[in-house]
Amino acid sequence: MDVDKILNKKEAKLAFEKGVEFLNKKDFKNAEVQFLESLTLVPNRTSVIYNLIQIYYRLKDARKLEILVDLCKDIKNTKEVKLAIAYKEYFNKNYKESIKIGESLINYSSLKEDDDQILFLLALNYKFLEKNLKTLNIYRKILFRNRNDDAILENIGYFFLEQGKAKKAYYYFKKAYNINPNENNILWNMSMCHFKIADLQNGFKLFEKRWDISSAEDRKSTRLNSSHTDISRM
């Protein structure tokens, strides 16, 4: 019996569980640290890879996605690694290639919960290719099972905002805000909706609220960086 392997698995499981806790709190940086520790102890765990993909998308970090793909070259044909490659292509603006990979990983007639990450990527790609109806249909498929996902709600809101439908956009931004009231992007988009319909008073109120949160985060960032702590925002 290899005692080291058993200990590694236990430590890897503990790190993974901590990573999930941080991810649920949207603390992506600490989640990344825990998941990478888990992956170091027990390489090629697809569940860890799947969660790291989510983090690197949120942090818009194409470089780390590429590193992740290289680290997992021994399991390059797994669904999780192919998804990481598809995200890498998306960040490199190779939208058609990203769609090709994503569509090969999904069966629309029998969707599962872990397909939502693929659907989300496909929606992002179709949006950039201006396939608006397809984009909206995919977002709705995800939302059907994830009604409390602020990222999905925000993306649907942004989709409608780009279409010039400010009131409909605001409906989704407001739902996202109720779930995650400290996300600057949501407040910014809500204020833009007010400006679009010439409601300047409420637009400026939300803009000022966003400014207050940004200022607090900047102060926090300054304190953390002075102690050599690396932090990232989405």
Side-chain angles (χ1 to χ4, degrees):
M1 184 181 294
D2 192 329
V3 177
D4 287 340
K5 280 188 178 179
I6 293 173
L7 289 173
N8 280 354
K9 283 185 178 180
K10 286 184 177 179
E11 289 177 15
K13 183 183 178 186
L14 184 61
F16 178 80
E17 289 171 351
K18 286 181 180 177
V20 171
E21 286 180 19
F22 282 123
L23 187 58
N24 288 337
K25 294 175 183 174
K26 303 189 186 303
D27 184 347
F28 302 121
K29 198 63 185 176
N30 280 318
E32 178 195 17
V33 170
Q34 294 298 326
F35 287 134
L36 287 176
E37 183 179 338
S38 181
L39 200 62
T40 301
L41 291 164
V42 180
N44 297 337
R45 282 190 66 192
T46 54
S47 56
V48 179
I49 295 165
Y50 182 83
N51 284 315
L52 283 169
I53 293 168
Q54 291 189 61
I55 290 168
Y56 295 145
Y57 166 72
R58 292 288 191 126
L59 298 177
K60 303 291 186 284
D61 200 327
R63 183 182 64 84
K64 285 186 178 178
L65 262 175
E66 290 193 32
I67 293 171
L68 182 64
V69 169
D70 289 339
L71 284 173
C72 301
K73 58 187 176 185
D74 292 339
I75 53 167
K76 63 183 179 181
N77 291 321
T78 62
K79 184 176 182 178
E80 288 77 10
V81 176
K82 285 182 178 179
L83 178 58
I85 294 169
Y87 265 98
K88 184 186 77 170
E89 296 294 348
Y90 163 75
F91 280 122
N92 290 330
K93 300 183 179 179
N94 298 323
Y95 305 124
K96 290 183 178 179
E97 182 61 26
S98 183
I99 288 171
K100 182 179 176 183
I101 298 168
E103 293 284 8
S104 73
L105 299 175
I106 206 160
N107 181 355
Y108 285 100
S109 62
S110 59
L111 291 172
K112 301 172 186 175
E113 188 176 341
D114 63 357
D115 288 329
D116 288 343
Q117 189 76 3
I118 304 169
L119 287 170
F120 186 62
L121 172 63
L122 287 169
L124 293 171
N125 281 297
Y126 282 123
K127 183 171 95 58
F128 275 101
L129 293 176
E130 298 183 352
K131 306 283 186 181
N132 295 331
L133 185 59
K134 191 129 188 170
T135 302
L136 188 57
N137 284 338
I138 292 174
Y139 277 145
R140 283 174 171 162
K141 285 180 190 295
I142 305 170
L143 193 61
F144 182 76
R145 285 192 304 279
N146 295 274
R147 296 189 181 278
N148 292 320
D149 189 320
D150 60 290
I152 298 299
L153 289 163
E154 185 184 0
N155 274 275
I156 295 175
Y158 192 70
F159 171 83
F160 282 120
L161 187 59
E162 285 189 322
Q163 302 299 308
K165 299 176 180 178
K167 289 184 178 179
K168 208 162 189 177
Y170 186 86
Y171 171 81
Y172 286 100
F173 289 139
K174 180 66 174 175
K175 279 182 168 289
Y177 173 77
N178 288 339
I179 296 165
N180 187 7
N182 293 318
E183 176 52 60
N184 272 331
N185 288 338
I186 299 174
L187 284 169
W188 170 267
N189 286 319
M190 287 171 70
S191 67
M192 290 302 104
C193 288
H194 283 296
F195 290 141
K196 287 277 186 182
I197 60 173
D199 183 0
L200 301 184
Q201 184 177 359
N202 283 317
F204 280 116
K205 276 183 183 178
L206 287 170
F207 188 82
E208 287 168 2
K209 190 171 186 178
R210 177 184 182 270
W211 181 267
D212 290 341
I213 292 173
S214 296
S215 298
E217 285 180 350
D218 287 343
R219 290 193 295 272
K220 182 181 176 185
S221 173
T222 302
R223 289 197 300 272
L224 288 172
N225 284 332
S226 67
S227 60
H228 307 289
T229 302
D230 179 33
I231 67 168
S232 296
R233 282 285 301 160
M234 180 177 158

